[in-house]
Amino acid sequence: HQHQHQHQHQHVNPHPPLPVPKSRQEIFPLRLMRVLSDPSVRSVVTWLPHGRSFVVLRPDVFADRVLPRHFPESGAGGAAAKTRPGAKYPSFTRKLNRWGFRQVSRGPDAGAFHHRLFLRDDPRMCLEMECQKGRRASASSANLSAHGKQQQQRQKAEVD
């Protein structure tokens, strides 16, 4: 009798949890991919010709027109965000960093944002991207790779 009661309880909840695929599709990189495919914002933010990096050509316009429409969470600031043009842009770049984007510092692509899984011609790859929350994102990649090398050397030593 108790088993039957538990079974009934499962069907009582009128609000089922949101399906995972739907929320998975709305991840930040996918929304960014959608923005970059919008011809109406091409003079503001666009892919570089090779499709492996994108560049924000007009950060002020991007912050005032594109962010509120597509990334409202980046522009939720109060009065300061309203009075200072482009005030929301640093919040957007911090979010890019948390998702593993890096700004190109030299060469013809300088200033563009790049991620190895964020590709114009293979949009599904961005579903593999992950957001690093909190402190772990600030650990330098040099430290991480040094740690990885130590582990490899240890494993090698065990094999030998």
Side-chain angles (χ1 to χ4, degrees):
H1 181 66
Q2 197 175 10
H3 179 76
Q4 192 179 8
H5 180 72
Q6 284 177 338
H7 186 73
Q8 286 175 336
H9 183 70
Q10 289 173 347
H11 295 287
V12 171
N13 185 0
H15 302 290
L18 289 171
V20 176
K22 183 144 178 70
S23 61
R24 185 84 181 125
Q25 285 182 334
E26 283 310 307
I27 61 170
F28 174 76
L30 207 56
R31 282 188 289 157
L32 183 55
M33 193 68 77
R34 203 174 300 137
V35 170
L36 285 162
S37 66
D38 178 353
S40 73
V41 298
R42 211 153 277 160
S43 64
V44 178
V45 58
T46 189
W47 287 104
L48 290 184
H50 51 61
R52 292 185 306 276
S53 303
F54 72 94
V55 64
V56 180
L57 301 166
R58 307 261 321 266
D60 52 341
V61 179
F62 183 77
D64 294 338
R65 298 211 193 124
V66 181
L67 283 182
R69 203 168 18 151
H70 297 280
F71 306 101
E73 76 281 1
S74 292
K82 286 190 187 93
T83 54
R84 232 173 66 234
K88 307 152 210 151
Y89 189 68
S91 157
F92 174 75
T93 57
R94 280 195 299 275
K95 188 152 195 167
L96 287 175
N97 288 331
R98 281 201 302 278
W99 278 92
F101 284 92
R102 291 297 167 252
Q103 198 160 13
V104 181
S105 54
R106 284 190 214 80
D109 296 357
F113 292 97
H114 167 80
H115 189 293
R116 64 185 180 83
L117 295 173
F118 195 77
L119 306 164
R120 179 188 56 204
D121 301 326
D122 198 352
R124 281 172 315 170
M125 289 294 285
C126 82
L127 293 172
E128 304 297 315
M129 294 170 67
E130 288 178 6
C131 182
Q132 282 106 31
K133 292 189 169 74
R135 277 207 198 138
R136 286 174 59 216
S138 66
S140 76
S141 54
N143 283 349
L144 294 174
S145 62
H147 179 69
K149 282 179 191 158
Q150 285 173 347
Q151 274 188 320
Q152 282 178 337
Q153 286 169 345
R154 248 182 259 132
Q155 288 167 348
K156 212 173 189 180
E158 288 168 17
V159 175
D160 296 343

